[in-house]
Amino acid sequence: MRMNEAILKRINEICEEKGKNVCNACLNGGKSPSALYDLMKGRTKCPKVTTIKSFCEGVGITLSKFFDRDYFNNLEDE
C-alpha cells in the first residue's frame, strides 16, 4: 500500500466511525475540503500534514490517533 492509499483508507475509516463526511470534517477543522477531494480523485499524490491535521480537528482526533494503524508502518516506496 502506498502512503496516499493508506491516508485515504484511514480517512474513510474515520468518517464511517464518526458518521461524518470529508466535507463536514474539513470545514469543522477550518479548512476547505478541496485538498482531500484532490487526493481522492488522484490529482494530488501526497497531502500536506496541515490538511490531515485540519481533518483530524474536524472529527475530534489527534494526528497520532490518525496514524495509529499498522498499515502506516508497512508502506511501499513511492
Side-chain angles (χ1 to χ4, degrees):
M1 181 180 305
R2 294 179 181 242
M3 176 63 80
N4 60 327
E5 294 168 328
I7 289 170
L8 285 174
K9 179 178 181 174
R10 186 67 177 131
I11 287 169
N12 289 323
E13 288 173 355
I14 292 167
C15 285
E16 189 174 312
E17 288 170 14
K18 301 283 185 174
K20 294 194 178 220
N21 63 41
V22 171
C23 182
N24 289 339
C26 289
L27 293 173
N28 288 341
K31 191 148 192 149
S32 168
S34 62
L36 286 182
Y37 284 136
D38 285 346
L39 179 69
M40 294 172 140
K41 293 180 181 184
R43 289 182 267 198
T44 300
K45 296 297 179 195
C46 191
K48 294 180 180 179
V49 174
T50 55
T51 302
I52 297 170
K53 185 176 184 291
S54 294
F55 170 81
C56 290
E57 289 172 354
V59 294
I61 65 169
T62 63
L63 273 173
S64 60
K65 182 155 179 115
F66 182 90
F67 288 108
D68 186 23
R69 289 291 182 267
D70 287 337
Y71 51 81
F72 283 110
N73 296 319
N74 301 308
L75 298 173
E76 295 175 19
D77 291 336
E78 294 288 321

